[in-house]
Amino acid sequence: MKKKVIALAMAVLMLGTLALTGCKKEAPIGGDKVAEVIFNLMLKNDATSAVELFGFASEEEARKGLGMEDNIYEDLADQLATQFSSAGMTVSNEQMQAFVDAFITMFSNVELTAVMKETDEKAGTAVVTCTVNTFDPEALTQGMAEAMNNVDPSVIESGDMEAAFGSILQAMADVIADIKPTDKTADFDVDFVLQKMDVNGKEKLIWMPEDEAKFGELISSTAMGG
């Protein structure tokens, strides 16, 4: 009889443990890891880390889930081309795309690490500190001067502003693409909020940047010494 009581008690204890395990709340995916994933998507066009972290079925699903299925840099090139044209400086979308791509190449060598600085899960807010390596402030200025020296003077003197501006953009693109960041680093803080995301039909809690566009701006401005 005593053995049966002990066995019954153990069974009850095991069932209770299993119940608690089954009801255990899944921890949100950390903002530090999310920051690095979004950085890889924005600056390196790399979705592999998003698949690994969130568990998406494919890179395409990861981009879609994070709202980055479109090529944001094609949109940026189109917007810049339109703005310059409105200012009377006509430039083709292809020329502007080459200029934007040069900056992407330049930033592809930047690395980012992140740590959770503050977390208030009840309020659904957090702060993540990001660290990026930076560019020499003089490098871009020197690069621009070098680019201007590489432009054929006859194109400038021709009076064909469209051809002149296109040549300047191309010369700048060629120089900018070769600029590399230094070993020096700088930090910046990003506000994160707790969100629910559907991943392969399963709802997950994830810390996400409150403003992804601002996050991207902070990466570039901090890396450039701003």
Side-chain angles (χ1 to χ4, degrees), residues 6-150:
I6 294 174
L8 180 59
M10 289 182 66
V12 170
L13 180 61
M14 289 175 65
L15 285 172
T17 301
L18 288 172
L20 287 172
T21 302
C23 295
K24 186 177 180 181
K25 184 179 179 181
E26 185 176 346
I29 296 177
D32 51 346
K33 296 177 181 178
V34 174
E36 293 174 6
V37 162
I38 294 179
F39 170 80
N40 287 335
L41 272 168
M42 282 183 171
L43 274 296
K44 301 181 186 294
N45 196 28
D46 180 3
T48 56
S49 58
V51 172
E52 294 170 0
L53 179 62
F54 300 119
F56 285 106
S58 66
E59 290 187 21
E60 182 181 356
E61 287 298 318
R63 293 177 190 280
K64 184 177 180 181
L66 291 168
M68 296 185 186
E69 63 268 39
D70 297 325
N71 189 325
I72 59 175
Y73 298 112
E74 286 184 4
D75 292 340
L76 176 60
D78 291 343
Q79 292 172 14
L80 288 173
T82 299
Q83 289 175 10
F84 275 100
S85 295
S86 299
M89 295 178 286
T90 303
V91 59
S92 70
N93 285 27
E94 291 75 15
Q95 290 171 322
M96 187 58 73
Q97 187 65 60
F99 183 68
V100 170
D101 289 344
F103 270 99
I104 302 308
T105 300
M106 184 179 82
F107 274 94
S108 67
N109 294 299
V110 173
E111 298 298 334
L112 177 144
T113 57
V115 294
M116 296 290 282
K117 180 180 180 181
E118 301 171 8
T119 306
D120 187 338
E121 191 168 331
K122 185 176 180 180
T125 60
V127 177
V128 175
T129 298
C130 297
T131 302
V132 292
N133 51 329
T134 61
F135 293 94
D136 179 351
E138 299 298 323
L140 190 59
T141 301
Q142 294 173 357
M144 294 297 184
E146 180 183 338
M148 292 303 295
N149 290 332
N150 292 338

